[in-house]
Amino acid sequence: MTKKQERHIVASVGTVLFLLLVFLILWFVRLTAVVPEEEEGVEVAFGEVAEAGGYMAEQSEAVPLPQPEASAPVQPSAPSDNDLLTQEDEEALALRKEQEKKERERKAAEAAEKQRQREEQARLEAERKAREAAEAAEKAKQAEAIAKANQFGSLFGQSGNNTGSGDSQGSGQKGNPVGHGSSGGNSWSLGGRSIKGTLPQPSNTFNQEGRVIVEIRVNAAGQVISASHKGGTISDKQTIQLALEAARKAKFTEGDHDQIGTITYNFKFN
């Protein structure tokens, strides 16, 4: 082997060892290459003419702009205690107003009903007073007629038990100006009128002794249109009923209008 070959081998071995040393150094140090960051930019359009664009380097991808975050929907807040109190106050106020309205209507209806009752009572009272006044005037008129008849009869010396100018056997009392007389132990009084025939007698089925006075109303034709118990000494209802039934059968002479008189029945045991 020549010296030139030896130097070439030594140089090759040295080169290999150097490279191995460098590799080991790099392995242990673990150097990494730093890649420079690309600068962000904004794309600008210079028109659509191909020549106007010039030479364009490799374009970087467009970076999307950050989107605004969607805001969360606003949830309705729960009613507070003040809101509930306000709502309850409004409902209570409305209810109270409704109750007050109903109470006013009820009081108005009661007042109207009381007013109607007062007016009705006043009307009935007025009718009662008018009726009593008319009855009192009629009785006063009848009493005045009886008084005049009695006074006229006294001028002729007639007593209250006179039967007038008629006979006592059924021909009736004719031309009796005093308006009273007796028949069969009983008596009657009706101003200016006479009894037709005889005075009807009660049935003899009575078991009482005494007197029953019956008030009668006689119309213009001489018929007894009503009879009522006026007084006397007998309180037995059956005996009083017998007197009323007999009085309703009485017939009197005609007159100008209705008149009020009396029939007195005397009950005696045989």
Side-chain angles (χ1 to χ4, degrees):
M1 178 181 298
T2 65
K3 291 182 178 182
K4 186 177 179 180
Q5 292 178 342
E6 290 179 355
R7 287 195 298 271
H8 182 73
I9 294 171
V10 172
S12 298
V13 172
T15 302
V16 171
L17 291 175
F18 177 77
L19 291 175
L20 180 61
L21 179 61
V22 173
F23 177 77
L24 292 175
I25 292 172
L26 293 176
W27 174 264
F28 287 107
V29 175
R30 297 181 180 179
L31 293 178
T32 57
V34 178
V35 180
E37 296 181 358
E38 296 180 358
E39 294 184 296
E40 296 181 358
V42 179
E43 295 180 359
V44 178
F46 291 94
E48 296 182 356
V49 181
E51 293 76 11
Y55 175 77
M56 183 177 293
E58 184 178 358
Q59 296 182 355
S60 61
E61 296 181 357
V63 179
L65 296 177
Q67 297 294 329
E69 296 182 357
S71 59
V74 179
Q75 298 293 334
S77 60
S80 63
D81 294 340
N82 292 334
D83 295 338
L84 295 176
L85 291 175
T86 303
Q87 184 177 4
E88 290 178 357
D89 291 343
E90 292 178 354
E91 292 178 354
L93 180 60
L95 180 60
R96 185 169 65 252
K97 288 184 178 180
E98 182 68 19
Q99 291 176 348
E100 291 176 354
K101 179 180 178 182
K102 291 182 179 180
E103 183 67 16
R104 288 195 299 269
E105 292 176 353
R106 184 185 65 81
K107 290 182 178 180
E110 289 180 354
E113 179 63 19
K114 290 181 179 179
Q115 180 65 22
R116 187 191 66 79
Q117 292 178 357
R118 286 194 294 268
E119 292 177 355
E120 182 68 14
Q121 291 177 355
R123 184 184 65 81
L124 295 176
E125 183 67 16
E127 291 180 355
R128 184 185 65 80
K129 289 182 178 180
R131 184 171 59 253
E132 290 179 352
E135 291 177 355
E138 180 66 19
K139 289 182 178 180
K141 183 178 179 180
Q142 296 298 327
E144 183 181 0
I146 292 173
K148 288 181 179 180
N150 291 337
Q151 183 180 5
F152 182 78
S154 64
L155 295 177
F156 293 92
Q158 295 174 332
S159 64
N161 292 327
N162 261 336
T163 59
S165 59
D167 54 42
S168 60
Q169 297 298 324
S171 60
Q173 297 170 340
K174 302 175 182 179
N176 184 2
V178 297
H180 61 84
S182 61
S183 175
N186 303 310
S187 61
W188 55 270
S189 176
L190 187 63
R193 298 206 197 185
S194 298
I195 192 75
K196 285 185 177 181
T198 59
L199 189 65
Q201 303 298 315
S203 173
N204 58 2
T205 58
F206 59 89
N207 55 4
Q208 298 286 325
E209 188 172 35
R211 183 174 66 254
V212 175
I213 301 175
V214 179
E215 184 178 82
I216 58 173
R217 176 181 288 273
V218 182
N219 60 15
Q223 298 174 340
V224 177
I225 57 177
S226 67
S228 60
H229 180 224
K230 187 176 182 180
T233 60
I234 297 177
S235 60
D236 180 60
K237 293 183 179 181
Q238 183 178 1
T239 305
I240 293 173
Q241 186 63 30
L242 293 175
L244 294 175
E245 291 175 357
R248 293 188 182 99
K249 299 176 182 178
K251 301 293 183 180
F252 292 88
T253 56
E254 291 77 5
D256 296 332
H257 50 75
D258 291 359
Q259 287 181 271
I260 296 176
T262 59
I263 297 177
T264 302
Y265 286 104
N266 297 304
F267 291 87
K268 296 180 179 180
F269 292 127
N270 294 329

PDB file of all heavy atoms in Angstrom, residues 204-224:
ATOM      1  N   ASN A 204    -188.578  26.747  67.504  1.00  0.00           N
ATOM      2  CA  ASN A 204    -188.752  26.539  68.944  1.00  0.00           C
ATOM      3  C   ASN A 204    -187.819  25.463  69.497  1.00  0.00           C
ATOM      4  O   ASN A 204    -188.109  24.848  70.517  1.00  0.00           O
ATOM      5  CB  ASN A 204    -190.207  26.169  69.253  1.00  0.00           C
ATOM      6  CG  ASN A 204    -190.642  24.917  68.501  1.00  0.00           C
ATOM      7  OD1 ASN A 204    -189.852  24.316  67.777  1.00  0.00           O
ATOM      8  ND2 ASN A 204    -191.914  24.522  68.663  1.00  0.00           N
ATOM      9  N   THR A 205    -186.686  25.260  68.786  1.00  0.00           N
ATOM     10  CA  THR A 205    -185.739  24.243  69.243  1.00  0.00           C
ATOM     11  C   THR A 205    -184.664  24.839  70.157  1.00  0.00           C
ATOM     12  O   THR A 205    -183.656  24.186  70.437  1.00  0.00           O
ATOM     13  CB  THR A 205    -185.053  23.582  68.039  1.00  0.00           C
ATOM     14  OG1 THR A 205    -184.393  24.581  67.267  1.00  0.00           O
ATOM     15  CG2 THR A 205    -186.053  22.852  67.173  1.00  0.00           C
ATOM     16  N   PHE A 206    -184.854  26.072  70.601  1.00  0.00           N
ATOM     17  CA  PHE A 206    -183.836  26.715  71.435  1.00  0.00           C
ATOM     18  C   PHE A 206    -183.912  26.163  72.861  1.00  0.00           C
ATOM     19  O   PHE A 206    -184.944  25.657  73.300  1.00  0.00           O
ATOM     20  CB  PHE A 206    -184.031  28.246  71.438  1.00  0.00           C
ATOM     21  CG  PHE A 206    -185.379  28.670  71.939  1.00  0.00           C
ATOM     22  CD1 PHE A 206    -185.590  28.911  73.297  1.00  0.00           C
ATOM     23  CD2 PHE A 206    -186.457  28.844  71.069  1.00  0.00           C
ATOM     24  CE1 PHE A 206    -186.831  29.308  73.753  1.00  0.00           C
ATOM     25  CE2 PHE A 206    -187.692  29.228  71.538  1.00  0.00           C
ATOM     26  CZ  PHE A 206    -187.888  29.466  72.883  1.00  0.00           C
ATOM     27  N   ASN A 207    -182.800  26.262  73.562  1.00  0.00           N
ATOM     28  CA  ASN A 207    -182.740  25.826  74.957  1.00  0.00           C
ATOM     29  C   ASN A 207    -182.204  26.934  75.860  1.00  0.00           C
ATOM     30  O   ASN A 207    -181.632  26.680  76.904  1.00  0.00           O
ATOM     31  CB  ASN A 207    -181.872  24.582  75.105  1.00  0.00           C
ATOM     32  CG  ASN A 207    -180.475  24.783  74.545  1.00  0.00           C
ATOM     33  OD1 ASN A 207    -180.141  25.887  74.115  1.00  0.00           O
ATOM     34  ND2 ASN A 207    -179.665  23.738  74.547  1.00  0.00           N
ATOM     35  N   GLN A 208    -182.347  28.194  75.383  1.00  0.00           N
ATOM     36  CA  GLN A 208    -181.905  29.344  76.157  1.00  0.00           C
ATOM     37  C   GLN A 208    -183.082  30.300  76.367  1.00  0.00           C
ATOM     38  O   GLN A 208    -184.052  30.299  75.602  1.00  0.00           O
ATOM     39  CB  GLN A 208    -180.773  30.082  75.428  1.00  0.00           C
ATOM     40  CG  GLN A 208    -179.514  29.250  75.205  1.00  0.00           C
ATOM     41  CD  GLN A 208    -178.740  29.055  76.479  1.00  0.00           C
ATOM     42  OE1 GLN A 208    -178.683  29.939  77.327  1.00  0.00           O
ATOM     43  NE2 GLN A 208    -178.127  27.887  76.634  1.00  0.00           N
ATOM     44  N   GLU A 209    -182.982  31.123  77.395  1.00  0.00           N
ATOM     45  CA  GLU A 209    -184.015  32.127  77.657  1.00  0.00           C
ATOM     46  C   GLU A 209    -183.326  33.474  77.786  1.00  0.00           C
ATOM     47  O   GLU A 209    -182.338  33.625  78.509  1.00  0.00           O
ATOM     48  CB  GLU A 209    -184.769  31.793  78.947  1.00  0.00           C
ATOM     49  CG  GLU A 209    -185.998  32.690  79.173  1.00  0.00           C
ATOM     50  CD  GLU A 209    -186.836  32.217  80.345  1.00  0.00           C
ATOM     51  OE1 GLU A 209    -186.221  31.717  81.312  1.00  0.00           O
ATOM     52  OE2 GLU A 209    -188.068  32.356  80.299  1.00  0.00           O
ATOM     53  N   GLY A 210    -183.836  34.463  77.046  1.00  0.00           N
ATOM     54  CA  GLY A 210    -183.219  35.778  77.056  1.00  0.00           C
ATOM     55  C   GLY A 210    -183.550  36.529  75.783  1.00  0.00           C
ATOM     56  O   GLY A 210    -184.563  36.258  75.118  1.00  0.00           O
ATOM     57  N   ARG A 211    -182.663  37.472  75.423  1.00  0.00           N
ATOM     58  CA  ARG A 211    -182.923  38.365  74.296  1.00  0.00           C
ATOM     59  C   ARG A 211    -181.731  38.354  73.346  1.00  0.00           C
ATOM     60  O   ARG A 211    -180.572  38.377  73.769  1.00  0.00           O
ATOM     61  CB  ARG A 211    -183.184  39.783  74.807  1.00  0.00           C
ATOM     62  CG  ARG A 211    -183.537  40.786  73.713  1.00  0.00           C
ATOM     63  CD  ARG A 211    -183.927  42.144  74.270  1.00  0.00           C
ATOM     64  NE  ARG A 211    -182.794  42.800  74.921  1.00  0.00           N
ATOM     65  CZ  ARG A 211    -182.656  42.915  76.230  1.00  0.00           C
ATOM     66  NH1 ARG A 211    -183.581  42.409  77.053  1.00  0.00           N
ATOM     67  NH2 ARG A 211    -181.593  43.526  76.754  1.00  0.00           N
ATOM     68  N   VAL A 212    -182.046  38.347  72.037  1.00  0.00           N
ATOM     69  CA  VAL A 212    -181.029  38.440  70.995  1.00  0.00           C
ATOM     70  C   VAL A 212    -181.398  39.603  70.080  1.00  0.00           C
ATOM     71  O   VAL A 212    -182.513  39.636  69.537  1.00  0.00           O
ATOM     72  CB  VAL A 212    -180.911  37.136  70.170  1.00  0.00           C
ATOM     73  CG1 VAL A 212    -179.924  37.313  69.016  1.00  0.00           C
ATOM     74  CG2 VAL A 212    -180.501  35.975  71.051  1.00  0.00           C
ATOM     75  N   ILE A 213    -180.452  40.546  69.916  1.00  0.00           N
ATOM     76  CA  ILE A 213    -180.680  41.706  69.049  1.00  0.00           C
ATOM     77  C   ILE A 213    -179.919  41.469  67.750  1.00  0.00           C
ATOM     78  O   ILE A 213    -178.709  41.222  67.754  1.00  0.00           O
ATOM     79  CB  ILE A 213    -180.201  43.003  69.712  1.00  0.00           C
ATOM     80  CG1 ILE A 213    -180.931  43.218  71.041  1.00  0.00           C
ATOM     81  CG2 ILE A 213    -180.412  44.194  68.777  1.00  0.00           C
ATOM     82  CD1 ILE A 213    -180.429  44.413  71.820  1.00  0.00           C
ATOM     83  N   VAL A 214    -180.642  41.562  66.624  1.00  0.00           N
ATOM     84  CA  VAL A 214    -180.068  41.330  65.298  1.00  0.00           C
ATOM     85  C   VAL A 214    -180.099  42.636  64.520  1.00  0.00           C
ATOM     86  O   VAL A 214    -181.146  43.291  64.447  1.00  0.00           O
ATOM     87  CB  VAL A 214    -180.842  40.242  64.538  1.00  0.00           C
ATOM     88  CG1 VAL A 214    -180.249  40.038  63.143  1.00  0.00           C
ATOM     89  CG2 VAL A 214    -180.837  38.935  65.310  1.00  0.00           C
ATOM     90  N   GLU A 215    -178.955  43.017  63.967  1.00  0.00           N
ATOM     91  CA  GLU A 215    -178.902  44.194  63.098  1.00  0.00           C
ATOM     92  C   GLU A 215    -179.135  43.746  61.667  1.00  0.00           C
ATOM     93  O   GLU A 215    -178.483  42.819  61.187  1.00  0.00           O
ATOM     94  CB  GLU A 215    -177.548  44.888  63.215  1.00  0.00           C
ATOM     95  CG  GLU A 215    -177.477  46.188  62.389  1.00  0.00           C
ATOM     96  CD  GLU A 215    -176.139  46.895  62.545  1.00  0.00           C
ATOM     97  OE1 GLU A 215    -175.181  46.485  61.847  1.00  0.00           O
ATOM     98  OE2 GLU A 215    -176.047  47.819  63.366  1.00  0.00           O
ATOM     99  N   ILE A 216    -180.052  44.415  60.975  1.00  0.00           N
ATOM    100  CA  ILE A 216    -180.424  44.032  59.613  1.00  0.00           C
ATOM    101  C   ILE A 216    -180.165  45.198  58.658  1.00  0.00           C
ATOM    102  O   ILE A 216    -180.187  46.360  59.053  1.00  0.00           O
ATOM    103  CB  ILE A 216    -181.913  43.617  59.536  1.00  0.00           C
ATOM    104  CG1 ILE A 216    -182.810  44.767  60.019  1.00  0.00           C
ATOM    105  CG2 ILE A 216    -182.163  42.346  60.333  1.00  0.00           C
ATOM    106  CD1 ILE A 216    -184.283  44.521  59.824  1.00  0.00           C
ATOM    107  N   ARG A 217    -179.878  44.835  57.404  1.00  0.00           N
ATOM    108  CA  ARG A 217    -179.789  45.823  56.329  1.00  0.00           C
ATOM    109  C   ARG A 217    -180.856  45.456  55.314  1.00  0.00           C
ATOM    110  O   ARG A 217    -180.883  44.337  54.792  1.00  0.00           O
ATOM    111  CB  ARG A 217    -178.402  45.826  55.694  1.00  0.00           C
ATOM    112  CG  ARG A 217    -178.293  46.794  54.497  1.00  0.00           C
ATOM    113  CD  ARG A 217    -176.915  46.753  53.877  1.00  0.00           C
ATOM    114  NE  ARG A 217    -175.927  47.379  54.719  1.00  0.00           N
ATOM    115  CZ  ARG A 217    -175.634  48.685  54.716  1.00  0.00           C
ATOM    116  NH1 ARG A 217    -176.278  49.503  53.878  1.00  0.00           N
ATOM    117  NH2 ARG A 217    -174.717  49.169  55.514  1.00  0.00           N
ATOM    118  N   VAL A 218    -181.746  46.426  55.011  1.00  0.00           N
ATOM    119  CA  VAL A 218    -182.889  46.211  54.129  1.00  0.00           C
ATOM    120  C   VAL A 218    -182.695  47.063  52.886  1.00  0.00           C
ATOM    121  O   VAL A 218    -182.381  48.255  52.980  1.00  0.00           O
ATOM    122  CB  VAL A 218    -184.206  46.576  54.836  1.00  0.00           C
ATOM    123  CG1 VAL A 218    -185.401  46.307  53.927  1.00  0.00           C
ATOM    124  CG2 VAL A 218    -184.331  45.789  56.138  1.00  0.00           C
ATOM    125  N   ASN A 219    -182.875  46.458  51.693  1.00  0.00           N
ATOM    126  CA  ASN A 219    -182.711  47.213  50.464  1.00  0.00           C
ATOM    127  C   ASN A 219    -183.979  47.986  50.133  1.00  0.00           C
ATOM    128  O   ASN A 219    -184.973  47.960  50.880  1.00  0.00           O
ATOM    129  CB  ASN A 219    -182.302  46.289  49.318  1.00  0.00           C
ATOM    130  CG  ASN A 219    -183.345  45.216  49.053  1.00  0.00           C
ATOM    131  OD1 ASN A 219    -184.493  45.302  49.520  1.00  0.00           O
ATOM    132  ND2 ASN A 219    -182.958  44.196  48.296  1.00  0.00           N
ATOM    133  N   ALA A 220    -183.962  48.683  48.995  1.00  0.00           N
ATOM    134  CA  ALA A 220    -185.108  49.521  48.623  1.00  0.00           C
ATOM    135  C   ALA A 220    -186.361  48.702  48.378  1.00  0.00           C
ATOM    136  O   ALA A 220    -187.485  49.199  48.542  1.00  0.00           O
ATOM    137  CB  ALA A 220    -184.756  50.335  47.375  1.00  0.00           C
ATOM    138  N   ALA A 221    -186.216  47.419  48.005  1.00  0.00           N
ATOM    139  CA  ALA A 221    -187.378  46.566  47.744  1.00  0.00           C
ATOM    140  C   ALA A 221    -187.974  46.002  49.026  1.00  0.00           C
ATOM    141  O   ALA A 221    -189.011  45.333  48.973  1.00  0.00           O
ATOM    142  CB  ALA A 221    -186.986  45.432  46.810  1.00  0.00           C
ATOM    143  N   GLY A 222    -187.339  46.218  50.178  1.00  0.00           N
ATOM    144  CA  GLY A 222    -187.869  45.722  51.440  1.00  0.00           C
ATOM    145  C   GLY A 222    -187.325  44.373  51.853  1.00  0.00           C
ATOM    146  O   GLY A 222    -187.785  43.805  52.842  1.00  0.00           O
ATOM    147  N   GLN A 223    -186.326  43.845  51.138  1.00  0.00           N
ATOM    148  CA  GLN A 223    -185.744  42.545  51.471  1.00  0.00           C
ATOM    149  C   GLN A 223    -184.542  42.723  52.406  1.00  0.00           C
ATOM    150  O   GLN A 223    -183.750  43.649  52.260  1.00  0.00           O
ATOM    151  CB  GLN A 223    -185.299  41.826  50.197  1.00  0.00           C
ATOM    152  CG  GLN A 223    -186.438  41.524  49.234  1.00  0.00           C
ATOM    153  CD  GLN A 223    -185.940  40.936  47.930  1.00  0.00           C
ATOM    154  OE1 GLN A 223    -184.768  41.083  47.582  1.00  0.00           O
ATOM    155  NE2 GLN A 223    -186.820  40.269  47.198  1.00  0.00           N
ATOM    156  N   VAL A 224    -184.406  41.803  53.349  1.00  0.00           N
ATOM    157  CA  VAL A 224    -183.264  41.816  54.259  1.00  0.00           C
ATOM    158  C   VAL A 224    -182.068  41.207  53.505  1.00  0.00           C
ATOM    159  O   VAL A 224    -182.089  40.028  53.144  1.00  0.00           O
ATOM    160  CB  VAL A 224    -183.564  41.023  55.545  1.00  0.00           C
ATOM    161  CG1 VAL A 224    -182.322  40.994  56.448  1.00  0.00           C
ATOM    162  CG2 VAL A 224    -184.749  41.639  56.280  1.00  0.00           C
TER     163      VAL A 224
END
